[in-house]
Amino acid sequence: MNRGIHPALAFAKQVEGWSPGVFSQVDKWRETDSLAPWRFMTFRQCKRWLADWLKRNPAPEEGFLCPQIMKRFPPHIVYMTLAAWRTGKTLLHCDESLFRMLGETRQTDALSGEMLRRLPFWGFWLDFPADMVFAEGQGALMGAFFTLADHDNQTDALLALTLAQDPLSREHIPMGMEYLALTDPVSTAINQQEEGIRGFWHAVLPVLFWLCSENSEWGRQGKPVRPAPRRVGKHQRLIPPDKPVQIFAGARAGSALRQVPRAPEASTSGYSPSTPHRRLRPHVRKAHWQSYWKGKPTQGEEKSMLLKWKPPQIVNGKDDDSLEAVVRFMKETNKREKE
């Protein structure tokens, strides 16, 4: 695998090399006008898609569709997550200070998995902090692909394909193909996972819920961000972008969290009070749900109770509108590879 390439790009290239042309047929097997627009495709559609490719092509000697591997485990999570990711080729990097602080809110378990249907992308890659270990003895993971789908038992689920680096070959290898049912609360599904996987979900779900909130900061306005299909011949197809898009999310929030504690500030009233006014250091007000009433009965409007997700709020952080999230296109190869 090429060095210097982002691990998500390198892994996607390797999978395409094992099964050439497989992703060019994916749109023929999914519903473009789905009743669930948050879902790229279903497990049933994925099975038909891969079965059709295997009928038209010789069985590969390596990779997830080779007979030896398919006997051990079904490869559908790999191809579903990559097919969804290819629609936008989104590489998401959350500010590490915000990444850790979101996990410290300790309220994710009480949230409903239904909220994850508001994820802005069909599929995306999320970088993990370099020193973050999710399970004892597992080591650090580089990141994961995420997408939403239905499982065979008709349970909507969040899929995750995690990658790590092989210390011997230096290649990026899949470490886990996990799915989490969209239960209410989400802790119901987490408790059904193996002990080593629970730490992973506890770490990544706060960031994913943050992406679903109305005022999250990831550099784009308007959600969801899902490309419209184009008609090619008799079919509608999603044309992958030429270049991956790398999003640096949480730039403002992370900058505020990294501010050093401010020194006590004396009063400016001209007197010498015994206790000077103090300004609290920047901190995060925990995320929470807030219920509120909507409607004005006195004006003939029906009154109804609504529920709103309040993401973590930065308190006493620097209010600097110039600190925006960064969105940029990313080249698939770097200068070193061209030399």
Side-chain angles (χ1 to χ4, degrees):
M1 208 175 276
N2 294 327
R3 297 182 181 180
I5 304 181
H6 191 282
L9 303 180
F11 182 74
K13 283 179 176 290
Q14 189 174 48
V15 172
E16 289 189 73
W18 287 332
S19 47
V22 65
F23 292 106
S24 64
Q25 304 295 320
V26 62
D27 291 324
K28 294 182 179 180
W29 298 95
R30 56 176 293 272
E31 299 176 7
T32 53
D33 297 325
S34 173
L35 296 177
W38 49 266
R39 182 177 62 201
F40 177 72
M41 72 184 310
T42 68
F43 264 86
R44 182 174 299 179
Q45 292 166 351
C46 181
K47 290 179 180 180
R48 293 176 178 175
W49 160 42
L50 296 181
D52 178 75
W53 186 87
L54 289 171
K55 288 180 181 179
R56 298 171 181 269
N57 296 271
E61 298 180 356
E62 58 180 344
F64 298 99
L65 294 181
C66 72
Q68 293 82 0
I69 293 184
M70 290 192 70
K71 290 179 181 179
R72 296 167 53 190
F73 60 86
H76 304 98
I77 289 181
V78 175
Y79 285 88
M80 291 182 73
T81 53
L82 289 181
W85 172 79
R86 281 168 50 86
T87 61
K89 292 186 178 180
T90 302
L91 307 174
L92 184 67
H93 179 85
C94 180
D95 183 274
E96 293 189 4
S97 297
L98 178 62
F99 197 117
R100 291 183 171 83
M101 184 58 68
L102 286 170
E104 293 175 4
T105 57
R106 305 297 182 188
Q107 292 185 336
T108 304
D109 285 5
L111 302 179
S112 172
E114 300 292 319
M115 175 63 70
L116 294 172
R117 290 197 176 106
R118 299 172 66 178
L119 283 170
F121 313 101
W122 269 324
F124 62 97
W125 165 273
L126 176 64
D127 286 320
F128 297 156
D131 59 345
M132 181 169 286
V133 178
F134 300 100
E136 185 178 355
Q138 186 184 59
L141 299 178
M142 305 189 71
F145 295 95
F146 292 95
T147 191
L148 292 165
D150 71 327
H151 202 253
D152 289 335
N153 57 5
Q154 303 302 314
T155 301
D156 296 331
L158 173 67
L159 308 182
L161 172 63
T162 60
L163 298 186
Q165 190 175 70
D166 188 337
L168 297 178
S169 65
R170 308 296 294 177
E171 291 186 350
H172 306 112
I173 57 176
M175 288 296 294
M177 291 174 282
E178 313 297 339
Y179 71 92
L180 187 76
L182 304 186
T183 57
D184 184 12
V186 71
S187 59
T188 302
I190 295 178
N191 292 335
Q192 296 173 356
Q193 303 285 320
E194 296 181 3
E195 184 175 356
I197 306 301
R198 294 176 190 173
F200 166 77
W201 290 117
H202 282 301
V204 301
L205 281 175
V207 180
L208 303 187
F209 277 113
W210 178 75
L211 289 173
C212 297
S213 63
E214 295 183 4
N215 55 340
S216 61
E217 172 214 336
W218 50 268
R220 298 280 183 92
Q221 297 295 327
K223 291 184 287 187
V225 180
R226 296 165 190 146
R230 305 176 189 176
R231 180 164 292 279
V232 179
K234 298 181 180 180
H235 302 278
Q236 288 187 328
R237 292 186 55 192
L238 290 167
I239 309 300
D242 295 332
K243 299 179 181 179
V245 178
Q246 191 164 22
I247 298 177
F248 295 89
R252 291 185 61 189
S255 176
L257 289 170
R258 287 188 294 273
Q259 291 184 65
V260 296
R262 300 190 181 188
E265 297 175 1
S267 172
T268 58
S269 60
Y271 296 95
S272 299
S274 57
T275 303
H277 293 287
R278 294 176 178 269
R279 179 180 175 87
L280 293 176
R281 63 172 297 179
H283 64 282
V284 172
R285 182 175 298 154
K286 288 185 177 181
H288 62 280
W289 289 99
Q290 178 179 337
S291 57
Y292 62 97
W293 290 100
K294 182 179 180 181
K296 300 178 180 179
T298 57
Q299 300 181 10
E301 296 180 2
E302 184 178 355
K303 197 173 183 180
S304 59
M305 175 71 76
L306 299 179
L307 197 62
K308 193 171 185 179
W309 163 245
K310 291 291 186 179
Q313 299 292 321
I314 305 298
V315 179
N316 285 342
K318 184 178 180 181
D319 185 13
D320 187 351
D321 292 335
S322 65
L323 294 173
E324 298 291 345
V326 179
V327 180
R328 65 181 178 86
F329 289 97
M330 182 179 181
K331 294 182 180 180
E332 297 190 13
T333 58
N334 59 16
K335 293 182 180 179
R336 293 180 180 178
E337 292 178 327
K338 295 180 179 180
E339 294 177 356

